[in-house]
Amino acid sequence: MKTAVISDVHGNFEALRAVLEEIERLDVDDLFSLGDAVGYGPEPQACVDLLRREASVNIMGNHDAAAVGMTDAAHFNVNARRAVEWTRRTLDEEAAAFLSALPYTRCREGILLAHASPGEPGAWHYVTTMEDAALCFDSFTEESCFVGHTHVPFIVSQRPDGSVEATESGGSVLEEGCRYLVNVGSVGQPRDRDSRASYALVDTGEGTVEIRRVPYDISKTQELMRRHELPPFLIERLESGR
Ligand code: ZN
């Protein structure tokens, strides 16, 4: 059984389409999306429509919440706020109702799914350091937890003795007795200086988890963002992946 876990599509339909094409090619059985379907990118409506159809699990992200008025966007930086306000005006009622009803967490196949730190999922804490990751393991009981939110992918494992380590290679064999915390990165706005879309592929038959990268037509997304007069900083950052 192969499951793709994506997050932070952020209205970037070109990136989402490229990832969905790859997972189709790879004969992936299931798709989970960990939130921030919208915000930043130029095609929020199309992304929500596609994710509603294709993902068997969708989770609430902070930009989704802000786009439907459930979280105050006042604490967003000015670019994020402009984009989220524009997003709010473009979504139809059905998409807004869908985003409003999303859960903060879900458990599937022994994996806890959340957008941000799973301990307090509606508080949108970032997991950026090994200390954050180590603390995270105490806040869930499942074998593994997959998150997004920082737009920087990682795979961290916890051994039976409690020690934690990060996998450097981008892939990992799931060892019996170990627990895993995986950040799947971002489909629509990667920030680890690799501009390609990021997602995680879990293969339960092989017992592996892997962060995969998919190139997409960045210029097409940028062109649409210009047309909708979205902030230049958000347009430029896509090609540098930061
Ligand atoms: Zn995000």
Side-chain angles (χ1 to χ4, degrees):
M1 167 114 179
K2 288 187 203 167
T3 304
V5 190
I6 65 174
S7 190
D8 297 271
V9 171
H10 282 296
N12 189 339
F13 188 74
E14 283 306 314
L16 176 59
R17 184 161 61 186
V19 168
L20 292 188
E21 276 170 14
E22 171 165 300
I23 67 180
E24 169 113 46
R25 250 195 336 270
L26 296 175
D27 269 329
V28 169
D29 303 290
D30 210 353
L31 172 66
F32 305 150
S33 179
L34 305 185
D36 278 4
V38 303
Y40 298 131
E43 293 182 278
Q45 179 71 43
C47 289
V48 172
D49 289 343
L50 193 55
L51 288 171
R52 282 179 69 187
R53 259 201 331 270
E54 298 293 330
S56 70
V57 174
N58 280 283
I59 299 287
M60 172 85 75
N62 54 318
H63 286 252
D64 305 319
V68 295
M70 290 174 67
T71 287
D72 192 359
H75 66 279
F76 280 22
N77 67 52
V78 63
N79 291 319
R81 196 163 61 237
R82 270 185 60 195
V84 95
E85 281 161 1
W86 175 83
T87 297
R88 186 177 307 164
R89 293 195 298 274
T90 54
L91 288 174
D92 71 18
E93 258 176 58
E94 214 178 305
F98 172 77
L99 293 178
S100 303
L102 291 176
Y104 287 113
T105 60
R106 271 277 189 271
C107 183
R108 283 291 174 92
E109 298 155 28
I111 301 172
L112 181 66
L113 305 165
H115 181 67
S117 169
E120 240 184 323
W124 316 118
H125 297 305
Y126 291 90
V127 181
T128 47
T129 64
M130 282 303 277
E131 287 77 29
D132 298 338
L135 280 173
C136 249
F137 281 103
D138 296 334
S139 64
F140 64 95
T141 53
E142 291 80 0
E143 203 169 272
S144 304
C145 176
F146 281 52
V147 298
H149 195 39
T150 64
H151 300 205
V152 177
F154 63 67
I155 300 173
V156 174
S157 61
Q158 184 192 47
R159 306 210 146 268
D161 66 4
S163 61
V164 294
E165 68 179 318
T167 306
E168 302 296 337
S169 64
S172 192
V173 175
L174 299 166
E175 283 179 60
E176 193 84 26
C178 288
R179 299 172 75 215
Y180 293 86
L181 178 66
V182 178
N183 189 314
V184 304
S186 169
V187 170
Q189 194 202 74
R191 293 181 193 160
D192 60 342
R193 302 197 174 268
D194 182 339
S195 61
R196 296 172 299 168
S198 174
Y199 76 101
L201 184 65
V202 187
D203 189 325
T204 49
E206 299 283 326
T208 55
V209 59
E210 175 190 4
I211 302 293
R212 296 184 62 91
R213 305 306 287 253
V214 185
Y216 72 96
D217 191 345
I218 295 174
S219 64
K220 213 163 161 182
T221 298
Q222 290 177 313
E223 179 51 40
L224 276 174
M225 290 174 81
R226 265 181 225 111
R227 209 181 295 168
H228 293 304
E229 296 178 342
L230 286 161
F233 172 71
L234 297 181
I235 299 172
E236 285 151 22
R237 73 187 304 179
L238 290 180
E239 66 201 58
S240 49
R242 62 179 176 87

